[in-house]
Amino acid sequence: MRFIPALVPIEKDYRVSWKVTEEHNGHAVWTTHRRGDGVIHGTTVGVHMESCVGCMKCITACPTDVFIAWVDSTGRNVVDPVRESECILCLVCEMVCPTDAISITKAGGSEDTLKSLLE
Amino acid sequence: MFDVLLSEEEKKIRDEVRAFVRDKVDRALILKMDSKEKEYPSEFVKAAGKENLLGLRFPKKYGGRGLGWVSEMLAVEEVGVLGIALGCAYSLPSIIGEGIEKFGTEEQKVNYLLPTLQGTKIGGEGLTEPRSGSDFFGTITTAVKENDTFILNGEKRFVAGGVGADYFLIYAKTSFEAKPHESLSAFLVDRDDGVRVEEEYELMGCRGMGAARIVMENLEIPEANLLGKLNGGNDVFNAMMVPERLTSASGAVGMGVAALEIAVRYAHKREAFGRAIRRFEGISFKVADCATELDAARGLIYLAAKVADTGEWCRKEVSQAKTFCTEAGFQAVSEAMQILGGIGYTDVYPIEHLFRDARLATIWTGSNEVQRLIVQNEVFKEILSEDRSLKRDVELDTPGAHKTTEKVYTEDPKKYYPDKS
């Protein structure tokens, strides 16, 4: 029987806690040693493939055409962030994704930049 | 602004701008811009330049009139009645001009400031990036020195004049190790250097200003176009924020005043239940409150302009004015719409246009949330650094003032832990 991972939101700190195990279409593919975690495509723009339901809302919303429709190795219709380098961090894809399958990397800025603004 | 506080010279310039706004701005231009016409209002800027009305406070040799900040704020309030887009087009020469006049070389002043104030060259400001506007010091656009040029890479968003401007004042990261406020530099970048427009925004209001996302990819900028010192972007930014935020404040008051005047005339004539609606307190008290807030707003602008004229640090006053005036302006427009009722929501009256425009004022040029962060920071600094011996210690004017053990500010969280010794 095929193991079907639960539809869970993408793990936001995957860039720290997961590992890059392969490359796909010019972007990294992240995984863990745990069988049920699934895979995440992309670093600036991460798409958790097991949570993606292929609604394509992110394709419509993205102003810089980061995503393309893609059929993964199991035959599921999902999206792939093939042009993640074009991402302008506007977060609209995160907002429209109905299953929280997308995570955009944090923009620059820090306590230091806040301090610079005030001092 | 209140006549009693103004000098004759200030009243004269206000009346001159008022006449320009009344006679020299074609109504068709306002309607065209609001109908999503994206072409930059260059003719309007040119006309204002021809009348020597741009950048009033700059030296005459660079196209200004050598007037003070109060004069300039009066002028912006007058132009503000035309809506936020033309107010912005009128203010940009003053905003960008501040950076060039204070930090530019003579060559930059002649090549950029002078034609900008003459209305023959349009400048845009590249500050906000897709990642953030308020978090300015997190700027990720970079400029890397290569021989006698800088190689510029990055994107700027919501650039007024993104479509239409001849050149841009761009902030970029030039040091990759230093602290954020010591790592940015300002550059004058000509559109012809290779600036690309990637997105023209469809805006709720403030239309017709060519607001766009611009992209700079491996642009070669001559070293001569560095504005101010290398890694000195912080100084340019702080200087430019004075006109940027004060013009936002004045423009919003102009919009509020325009809307209130329409509402007052309407309430005087419009009847309900057998009398003019101004006879109902629900209406007349709105007028009272809005007029009071707008006058208070003008007071804050006047104060900030006076402090700016001294050349002293005026960030608190500027941010206070920006916050209060943009909120008072929007509130006046909103209440004017309420007074007009359904017809105020149509384009039979320009309130709906002003409503869409004024809404932006609380967001741009540093959101009001960021202004409040700045104000509280300045207030804490000011009060905590005060010499308390110069004032009466009011804290002691109470019967329990001597109960010092009751004046608890912090306690050791482990104070009542069991003693293990």
Side-chain angles (χ1 to χ4, degrees):
Chain A
M1 196 174 78
R2 192 172 151 245
F3 180 82
I4 303 173
L7 207 63
V8 291
I10 188 168
E11 201 171 307
K12 294 282 183 188
D13 68 348
Y14 76 91
R15 296 170 190 89
V16 178
S17 55
W18 293 35
K19 283 205 169 92
V20 176
T21 46
E22 61 176 297
E23 293 285 322
H24 176 256
N25 260 338
H27 56 264
V29 176
W30 300 73
T31 57
T32 70
H33 64 279
R34 296 180 297 272
R35 191 175 162 220
D37 283 349
V39 296
I40 294 174
H41 280 226
T43 305
T44 306
V45 180
V47 179
H48 185 228
M49 291 300 163
E50 285 66 24
S51 302
C52 177
V53 290
C55 68
M56 309 297 162
K57 284 182 178 168
C58 53
I59 292 183
T60 310
C62 177
T64 56
D65 294 328
V66 163
F67 306 94
I68 60 164
W70 179 56
V71 180
D72 73 5
S73 57
T74 66
R76 294 178 68 238
N77 289 316
V78 290
V79 296
D80 201 21
V82 292
R83 284 181 289 271
E84 65 168 356
S85 61
E86 299 295 311
C87 176
I88 58 169
L89 316 183
C90 71
L91 305 183
V92 69
C93 55
E94 274 197 20
M95 302 287 282
V96 300
C97 179
T99 56
D100 288 334
I102 302 173
S103 165
I104 303 300
T105 193
K106 280 186 181 170
S110 60
E111 278 295 314
D112 279 352
T113 61
L114 176 60
K115 202 174 159 201
S116 292
L117 192 71
L118 299 178
E119 291 308 311
Chain B
M1 215 176 277
F2 348 91
D3 280 19
V4 68
L5 292 178
L6 305 180
S7 67
E8 286 310 312
E9 185 187 49
E10 287 161 351
K11 280 188 238 175
K12 205 170 145 220
I13 188 67
R14 179 199 60 193
D15 294 343
E16 189 181 335
V17 177
R18 189 172 283 179
F20 172 79
V21 166
R22 184 189 63 205
D23 303 330
K24 302 279 174 71
V25 183
D26 193 350
R27 187 176 147 266
L29 171 69
I30 298 170
L31 302 187
K32 196 171 136 194
M33 286 175 73
D34 194 45
S35 64
K36 300 199 176 183
E37 174 65 65
K38 290 193 190 73
E39 198 182 328
Y40 199 88
S42 307
E43 291 307 314
F44 164 78
V45 177
K46 217 174 267 178
K50 201 175 156 200
E51 303 283 338
N52 196 202
L53 291 176
L54 296 174
L56 295 171
R57 70 179 189 285
F58 295 107
K60 288 179 183 169
K61 68 182 225 185
Y62 298 124
R65 290 201 193 187
L67 300 175
W69 280 93
V70 173
S71 295
E72 183 146 324
M73 292 307 104
L74 290 166
V76 176
E77 183 184 325
E78 294 301 321
V79 177
V81 305
L82 300 169
I84 205 165
L86 289 176
C88 175
Y90 179 78
S91 302
L92 266 174
S94 167
I95 296 165
I96 291 167
E98 182 74 5
I100 304 175
E101 207 262 324
K102 270 215 163 85
F103 302 96
T105 60
E106 185 57 28
E107 195 187 344
Q108 288 169 343
K109 290 177 190 175
V110 171
N111 292 337
Y112 290 94
L113 182 59
L114 179 61
T116 298
L117 299 187
Q118 287 171 335
T120 54
K121 209 171 199 175
I122 305 287
E125 184 191 9
L127 194 153
T128 296
E129 296 186 339
R131 45 157 282 287
S132 180
S134 294
D135 192 356
F136 168 72
F137 288 96
T139 292
I140 58 171
T141 292
T142 58
V144 178
K145 183 93 191 295
E146 210 174 279
N147 303 319
D148 55 356
T149 61
F150 282 89
I151 307 300
L152 203 60
N153 277 289
E155 299 185 19
K156 299 291 176 179
R157 192 188 215 186
F158 308 140
V159 178
V163 180
D166 300 302
Y167 73 97
F168 302 94
L169 197 156
I170 300 288
Y171 291 92
K173 203 171 184 63
T174 40
S175 169
F176 302 94
E177 286 86 30
K179 289 176 182 165
H181 67 284
E182 293 165 349
S183 67
L184 302 181
S185 302
F187 295 90
L188 295 167
V189 178
D190 291 313
R191 179 184 294 281
D192 294 343
D193 287 335
V195 176
R196 217 169 62 230
V197 174
E198 288 269 310
E199 175 80 22
E200 293 178 47
Y201 295 103
E202 297 295 346
L203 304 179
M204 174 181 173
C206 193
R207 295 175 183 165
M209 279 296 292
R213 176 164 57 86
I214 58 172
V215 176
M216 296 153 290
E217 208 177 329
N218 293 321
L219 299 197
E220 288 183 30
I221 307 303
E223 195 178 3
N225 280 30
L226 171 69
L227 182 65
K229 289 184 191 155
L230 182 65
N231 302 322
N234 179 41
D235 298 331
V236 184
F237 171 78
N238 278 327
M240 283 175 64
M241 285 307 106
V242 175
E244 175 138 344
R245 290 169 180 162
L246 277 186
T247 54
S248 285
S250 297
V253 169
M255 285 185 277
V257 167
L260 184 64
E261 287 174 0
I262 293 169
V264 163
R265 283 191 284 270
Y266 184 85
H268 179 64
K269 288 193 280 191
R270 173 75 171 178
E271 292 181 356
F273 307 103
R275 62 181 112 158
I277 60 171
R278 64 175 287 201
R279 301 294 165 204
F280 294 100
E281 286 173 2
I283 299 296
S284 62
F285 282 15
K286 285 188 202 307
V287 171
D289 290 345
C290 289
T292 304
E293 283 185 19
L294 288 171
D295 274 348
R298 283 167 161 154
L300 281 173
I301 293 170
Y302 186 83
L303 170 69
K306 281 290 192 192
V307 181
D309 269 337
T310 66
E312 294 291 315
W313 184 247
C314 54
R315 185 146 65 172
K316 183 188 78 173
E317 290 80 5
V318 167
S319 291
Q320 283 175 321
K322 196 275 173 177
T323 308
F324 190 85
C325 300
T326 55
E327 289 172 10
F330 179 67
Q331 176 71 2
V333 175
S334 177
E335 291 291 57
M337 184 177 278
Q338 193 69 25
I339 291 170
L340 265 72
I343 201 69
Y345 194 67
T346 71
D347 68 359
V348 172
Y349 287 90
I351 308 277
E352 63 85 25
H353 174 194
L354 291 170
F355 186 94
R356 286 185 281 110
D357 276 8
R359 184 63 187 85
L360 177 60
T362 62
I363 299 171
W364 76 356
T365 67
S367 71
N368 284 11
E369 288 71 23
V370 167
Q371 301 313 308
R372 286 183 164 93
L373 271 181
I374 291 170
V375 171
Q376 62 81 27
N377 189 60
E378 296 292 319
V379 170
F380 273 101
K381 264 199 301 196
E382 198 176 294
I383 293 177
L384 296 180
S385 64
E386 234 174 30
D387 178 355
R388 292 188 67 181
S389 68
L390 298 175
K391 286 182 183 170
R392 180 182 181 82
D393 193 350
V394 179
E395 217 170 291
L396 300 178
D397 291 342
T398 179
H402 63 286
K403 296 176 182 171
T404 51
T405 51
E406 293 302 317
K407 294 180 178 177
V408 179
Y409 304 106
T410 183
E411 280 194 302
D412 180 0
K414 295 179 181 171
K415 189 175 171 184
Y416 302 110
Y417 275 27
D419 188 359
K420 286 185 179 167
S421 60

